Amino acid sequence: MGNRSDAAAAIQRVLSGAMGPGGATQLAIAQVRLAWSEVVSEAGLERGPMHSRVVRVSGGTAHVAASDSILAQELSLRADALAWAVNQRMHGRPGATIELRRVAVSVDRAGSGPSI
């Protein structure tokens, strides 16, 4: 685990110099969002009007907004497997320093688009 944390620290130093102090964090969150999108698409959980998105990540928890309650329930049932798959997908990607331990799903009643 030491090599991974050393590599993460080195990436954060480089990105901090190139993109500012929040650059490494933003890249790590972007990697989570990309991996989430890939995993749910591959799992067939993004069909028609049903969609989900990672709103934020805090303390190893991906906070996910689902477009409807049926999808939210399915994502909740698969939460552990989805977290594992997202972590596997991110493995080795530049700047992917977040490891998910949990997925918290809610229904996005407003139907708003992706947050920044």
Side-chain angles (χ1 to χ4, degrees):
M1 187 95 158
N3 285 342
R4 183 178 172 126
S5 59
D6 291 345
I11 288 171
Q12 287 179 336
R13 283 192 303 274
V14 169
L15 289 173
S16 181
M19 299 169 49
T25 301
Q26 291 303 312
L27 178 58
I29 292 169
Q31 288 287 15
V32 171
R33 288 180 173 148
L34 175 61
W36 176 265
S37 178
E38 293 169 347
V39 166
V40 295
S41 180
E42 251 180 39
L45 298 169
E46 297 265 314
R47 286 177 276 179
M50 293 194 315
H51 61 277
S52 64
R53 61 189 170 85
V54 174
V55 178
R56 72 183 191 282
V57 179
S58 62
T61 299
H63 299 270
V64 174
S67 60
D68 58 58
S69 58
I70 293 170
L71 178 59
Q73 184 176 15
E74 185 66 29
L75 295 174
S76 293
L77 290 171
R78 297 184 186 195
D80 291 340
L82 290 168
W84 179 87
V86 168
N87 287 334
Q88 291 300 306
R89 181 68 60 130
M90 288 190 300
H91 184 74
R93 288 186 177 177
T97 57
I98 295 172
E99 184 172 340
L100 296 182
R101 289 175 282 172
R102 189 170 173 266
V103 174
V105 183
S106 62
V107 178
D108 183 10
R109 300 253 182 240
S112 60
S115 65
I116 298 175

